[in-house]
Amino acid sequence: MMKVGYIQFHPLFGEVDYNRTHTLELIHQRADADLLVLPELCTTGYLFTDKTELERLAEFIPEGKSTKAWIKIAKETNTYLVAGICEKTKDGKFYNSSVLIGPEGYIDTYRKIHLFNTEKNFFSPGNGPFKIYDIGIAKLGMIICFDWAFPELTRILALNGAEIICHPSNLVLSFAQKVMLARSIENRVYTITANRIGDDIRPSSKLIFTGESQVTSPKMEILLKASVDKEEIGVVEIDPLLAQNKMITANNHIFLDRRVELYQPIINHNELEK
Ligand code: ACM
């Protein structure tokens, strides 16, 4: 058994120091958790207007201030953290990333592969590989926000053994929370969606984020759900071993029943265009 959860809050656009400090306060409040997931881009906010802003607000991983602060608190609280962060690299690229950090220190970074809408103007897409992390008490996989719309990614993570899908988010549509229930049952995994609340009001546009962070189970249950607009930390006890049982009826194994020989069109754009 282990305690997992989400931290839902309102990152203030551009206020990286304030946002980082606030995540530390919130993580401290649930120091009893084994795994906490924080929202996408939780140190910067979401709605960038130009690359100068990105350059100013993005951080290197793992030597940036936010990753370092999370490494310290993960050690102090003996907690694993998955947190969305705006990453910059030495070769001048920007990624919409999430870091996995544990009591043993920095573990790895996932770079979002399916960029949403105007994110394409600012970020380079990640290119995998889709890794699984065995943290001893569970095996984790990471996706970020709009990755929810591409079931192939969660499927690959589950096929590779992920028991919990960590899903930092800045959701603006109302579909993902429902879809993640499908991701749970079709793969028999837990999912933790950590969404943000509030709005980003910028000179040329505005976005309102939809909250309702949640934890779902391999049986398609919503174990925990947050409000639409309040800062909340939700923590629930789960049994990761449940995600190893892929039988959906006595006669149906959710992976072995796949008819992969019939699925070629989903990996070939040209086939779909015919
Ligand atoms: C999203 O991918 N942030 C909607």
Side-chain angles (χ1 to χ4, degrees):
M1 301 295 282
M2 67 184 288
K3 283 189 191 172
V4 304
Y6 49 73
I7 290 184
Q8 168 171 300
F9 74 107
H10 181 173
L12 300 182
F13 188 87
E15 303 293 335
V16 176
D17 289 338
Y18 165 82
N19 293 330
R20 178 191 317 113
T21 305
H22 196 49
T23 66
L24 300 177
E25 288 159 5
L26 295 170
I27 294 163
H28 255 303
Q29 284 179 31
R30 288 314 300 252
D32 59 312
D34 298 299
L35 168 67
L36 290 171
V37 183
L38 290 93
E40 178 183 13
L41 297 172
C42 77
T43 54
T44 52
Y46 181 80
L47 203 49
F48 292 93
T49 52
D50 58 45
K51 286 220 172 172
T52 319
E53 235 170 35
L54 264 184
E55 172 58 38
R56 184 167 55 83
L57 301 174
E59 298 186 46
F60 294 116
I61 299 173
E63 57 272 47
K65 276 191 187 173
S66 298
T67 308
K68 275 193 176 157
W70 290 329
I71 291 170
K72 185 163 178 286
I73 200 169
K75 281 186 185 145
E76 284 164 12
T77 58
N78 198 32
T79 303
Y80 285 86
L81 301 171
V82 172
I85 181 167
C86 183
E87 179 189 6
K88 66 177 166 189
T89 62
K90 303 258 157 62
D91 60 357
K93 291 193 172 143
F94 300 101
Y95 293 96
N96 182 339
S97 296
S98 64
V99 284
L100 171 62
I101 291 166
E104 66 269 49
Y106 168 74
I107 299 172
D108 209 358
T109 299
Y110 165 70
R111 293 170 171 163
K112 185 176 187 178
I113 65 167
H114 302 105
L115 297 176
F116 180 71
N117 205 352
T118 54
E119 286 175 32
K120 292 185 179 186
N121 301 337
F122 301 110
F123 296 110
S124 300
N127 284 313
F130 312 137
K131 292 202 211 153
I132 300 304
Y133 304 94
D134 187 347
I135 62 165
I137 35 176
K139 296 194 182 79
L140 312 182
M142 293 188 271
I143 67 174
I144 298 178
C145 206
F146 189 51
D147 285 331
W148 65 262
F150 302 86
E152 295 86 351
L153 174 53
T154 305
R155 176 69 104 199
I156 292 169
L157 292 171
L159 285 169
N160 287 341
E163 294 158 347
I164 305 173
I165 304 295
C166 302
H167 183 211
S169 294
N170 278 189
L171 295 160
V172 290
L173 305 174
S174 60
F175 312 124
Q177 288 89 341
K178 295 186 189 84
V179 170
M180 291 310 285
L181 277 168
R183 295 295 93 85
S184 266
I185 191 67
E186 72 202 4
N187 295 294
R188 303 276 291 185
V189 291
Y190 292 93
T191 74
I192 306 171
T193 298
N195 195 17
R196 63 163 286 182
I197 51 168
D199 48 25
D200 275 355
I201 302 174
R202 305 306 321 286
S204 54
S205 53
K206 167 181 171 172
L207 279 177
I208 299 172
F209 300 92
T210 55
E212 295 192 310
S213 298
Q214 64 183 18
V215 179
T216 67
S217 83
K219 296 181 181 171
M220 205 175 164
E221 300 149 319
I222 298 177
L223 300 179
L224 268 184
K225 195 172 191 88
S227 63
V228 174
D229 56 1
K230 290 188 188 53
E231 179 173 293
E232 282 179 52
I233 313 173
V235 174
V236 63
E237 195 165 53
I238 64 161
D239 181 3
L241 289 181
L242 199 61
Q244 291 181 11
N245 178 1
K246 302 301 181 188
M247 300 306 293
I248 200 157
T249 73
N251 293 303
N252 294 103
H253 186 287
I254 205 81
F255 291 163
L256 296 179
D257 276 11
R258 288 174 307 133
R259 300 290 308 280
V260 290
E261 71 280 16
L262 303 176
Y263 298 162
Q264 188 61 24
I266 68 163
I267 55 168
N268 189 336
H269 279 296
N270 297 334
E271 285 291 324
L272 289 179
E273 279 158 16
K274 272 182 200 159

